[in-house]
Amino acid sequence: MADTTTAAEPRVHGEGLASQSVGRYRWVICALLFIATTINYIDRQVVSLLGPTLSAQFGWSDIDYGHIIFNFSLAYAIGLLVVGRVIDRLGTKLGFSLAIVFWSLAAIVHAVAHFYNGPAIPSLEISATTGFAFVTLTSTVAGFSLARFALGLGEAGNFPASIKAVAEWFPKKERALATGLFNSGTNVGALLAPIAVPWITLTWGWEWAFIVTGALGFLWLALWIAVYRPPQQHPRVSAQELAYIESDPIEAVTPVAWSKLLPHRQTWAFAIGKFMTDPIWWLYLYWVPDFLHRVHHIDLKGSALPIFVIYQIATVGSIAGGWLPAWFLNRGWTLNAARKTAMLIPALCVLPIMLAPQVSSMWVAVFLIGIAASAHQAWSANIFTFSSDMFPKRAVASVVGIGGMAGAVGGMMIALLVGEILQRTGSYVPIFIMAGSAYLLALGCIHLLVPTIRQVKLDE
């Protein structure tokens, strides 16, 4: 990861271009992606904020709650298996539109999930004594599991579509920054949800928290349909900006079959990195409210401020993680050194979270979790861009879908594992040890599989 250039290691094409005034409409598109990601994470986080409330009302155990999260992750994995391919075929505009309609409807359906009285729903269970086994869910757990399953299928479209849009609208030298900016919507969504959800719940009831947040997607859809076009067809894009967007070498547009992606170790490096680290973000998203309630006795209303602080800190990491590799590149670093160093730094910064369950002060724990969440977002901005570093635009959404599916499979496993650990021990210590060590292990695997980042040559 030294800051030197070898003759065999090419730089990013166009990286020497000055940041001249070439137009800025591409950043409007980035803002749309940011808003969609914000809504995505508002919808995703409602159930975690209401977890202690719903658990008390419906008598859910830690394992029951784990099953609900597991079914979201299962659907997310299934969705990502196919959605990247679908978006590559349908195009960014139509593919993203269909995804947000589906997930917004699914978010609203949570309001009536407790009325479910249909067929028994099986779910996978992990146990230290029995291993993996199927169990039958109770009616309310089954209803919420079905709603979460539908939400997961729809939400799977957000990141493949967004990464594809970034690849279409930005030259390679700006993609990490654009990804970091739109990915910061995950933090903003996680910031807004703990402010809005308790107020809506205490004012109108928990059902309306799902209805109001779910309806936001339809407002975004109207804006997306009105604004989005490919840059080559957009009337607001100047000739200079289009030339800047297309300053990288011209690529073919023929979709790439999965059979041509899976043999490449670059695909597996991305997938393994997502498998090992995506579940840690979901751990923060779904279990931090329970951690605050269980360890520090914070209720729904009192959780708003500490969760707000955690994701406020995390927002800094998302933007800084996108800015950091560009800063390295502008100082003569190779793409390989810049990208991997920008992943190493957050991998080190996340280590102190191992202390979070053992400190007596809630605010010290909140700060440690916030630093780890910030580090994850910096990591996330770079691992997403890592895919577009290695693959042509026509394959990016499919590769991101494969990696996202791997991350969702990891999320499925951690949901069951955390539920089992908490049910048996009531302790977050082993859980946060896993969280702290995941990123360095993932980076080691990535570096072993891809010692030097180069563009993959795909056969036509």
Side-chain angles (χ1 to χ4, degrees):
M1 298 183 192
D3 56 343
T4 58
T5 306
T6 66
E9 189 176 349
R11 295 182 182 278
V12 180
H13 186 80
E15 73 180 56
L17 292 175
S19 57
Q20 64 269 44
S21 179
V22 296
R24 298 183 178 275
Y25 198 79
R26 62 195 182 278
W27 299 107
V28 174
I29 302 303
C30 186
L32 283 174
L33 302 178
F34 164 82
I35 295 169
T37 304
T38 299
I39 294 170
N40 185 283
Y41 266 73
I42 290 174
D43 291 341
R44 192 178 301 198
Q45 198 185 8
V46 175
V47 79
S48 67
L49 291 167
L50 295 177
T53 300
L54 297 175
S55 295
Q57 180 171 338
F58 299 120
W60 296 344
S61 66
D62 291 321
I63 292 176
D64 289 333
Y65 181 68
H67 283 305
I68 293 170
I69 304 307
F70 167 85
N71 279 283
F72 174 89
S73 304
L74 173 62
Y76 201 72
I78 295 171
L80 286 171
L81 183 63
V82 298
V83 74
R85 184 71 171 167
V86 170
I87 290 170
D88 277 337
R89 288 190 174 275
L90 295 181
T92 308
K93 183 172 185 175
L94 178 58
F96 212 157
S97 298
L98 294 175
I100 200 162
V101 167
F102 195 92
W103 98 53
S104 297
L105 289 173
I108 292 171
V109 166
H110 282 70
V112 295
H114 58 298
F115 293 120
Y116 178 78
N117 195 27
I121 303 295
S123 185
L124 192 65
E125 183 173 75
I126 183 172
S127 170
T129 55
T130 62
F132 288 99
F134 283 97
V135 296
T136 300
L137 303 179
T138 62
S139 59
T140 58
V141 176
F144 276 89
S145 293
L146 287 173
R148 297 304 288 177
F149 190 91
L151 184 69
L153 285 178
E155 290 205 343
N158 184 79
F159 284 96
S162 295
I163 296 297
K164 186 175 179 68
V166 167
E168 291 173 348
W169 274 86
F170 290 86
K172 285 187 177 180
K173 65 176 296 186
E174 289 185 342
R175 287 180 193 169
L177 178 57
T179 300
L181 289 171
F182 92 70
N183 190 54
S184 67
T186 61
N187 306 318
V188 175
L191 281 169
L192 295 177
I195 296 173
V197 170
W199 183 83
I200 295 171
T201 300
L202 295 172
T203 304
W204 296 314
W206 62 263
E207 295 91 343
W208 281 98
F210 289 109
I211 295 170
V212 171
T213 56
L216 295 175
F218 295 103
L219 299 177
W220 179 88
L221 179 63
L223 189 61
W224 176 253
I225 291 173
V227 171
Y228 192 85
R229 305 283 189 282
Q232 297 80 5
Q233 302 171 15
H234 209 293
R236 300 291 300 276
V237 176
S238 67
Q240 294 87 348
E241 184 172 15
L242 182 59
Y244 182 69
I245 291 169
E246 296 179 334
S247 61
D248 296 317
I250 297 174
E251 300 175 359
V253 296
T254 307
V256 182
W258 286 338
S259 60
K260 294 183 179 179
L261 296 174
L262 292 176
H264 292 283
R265 66 176 185 269
Q266 289 88 346
T267 304
W268 290 100
F270 179 72
I272 289 171
K274 296 286 284 180
F275 173 81
M276 296 181 71
T277 60
D278 275 15
I280 308 305
W281 178 253
W282 292 15
L283 171 67
Y284 305 148
L285 194 70
Y286 293 129
W287 297 94
V288 163
D290 177 77
F291 169 77
L292 294 173
H293 177 73
R294 185 187 303 259
V295 177
H296 298 285
H297 313 294
I298 305 300
D299 61 13
L300 174 64
K301 186 176 180 179
S303 67
L305 182 57
I307 293 175
F308 178 89
V309 170
I310 288 171
Y311 291 107
Q312 187 68 41
I313 298 172
T315 302
V316 177
S318 183
I319 297 172
W323 167 82
L324 191 58
W327 188 83
F328 290 142
L329 288 169
N330 288 334
R331 279 152 181 78
W333 290 39
T334 64
L335 175 62
N336 187 66
R339 182 73 62 223
K340 289 181 180 175
T341 303
M343 296 169 77
L344 174 63
I345 292 171
L348 295 172
C349 289
V350 78
L351 291 173
I353 197 176
M354 296 182 186
L355 301 174
Q358 304 177 61
V359 298
S360 58
S361 168
M362 182 200 72
W363 286 111
V364 173
V366 164
F367 178 75
L368 292 173
I369 296 170
I371 293 297
S374 181
H376 173 89
Q377 292 296 68
W379 167 277
S380 185
N382 282 280
I383 196 170
F384 272 130
T385 313
F386 179 61
S387 66
S388 60
D389 289 337
M390 300 182 296
F391 290 92
K393 295 177 186 177
R394 61 196 175 105
V396 166
S398 294
V399 173
V400 171
I402 291 169
M405 181 201 67
V409 170
M412 291 161 50
M413 296 176 65
I414 204 169
L416 298 178
L417 184 60
V418 169
E420 181 71 21
I421 290 172
L422 291 176
Q423 190 74 20
R424 287 178 170 273
T425 69
S427 172
Y428 272 93
V429 171
I431 295 166
F432 281 104
I433 289 174
M434 288 191 298
S437 58
Y439 298 83
L440 282 175
L441 293 174
L443 182 57
C445 293
I446 288 170
H447 187 64
L448 285 174
L449 287 168
V450 185
T452 302
I453 298 172
R454 292 190 180 93
Q455 184 84 182
V456 173
K457 302 295 183 183
L458 297 173
D459 296 330
E460 298 297 334

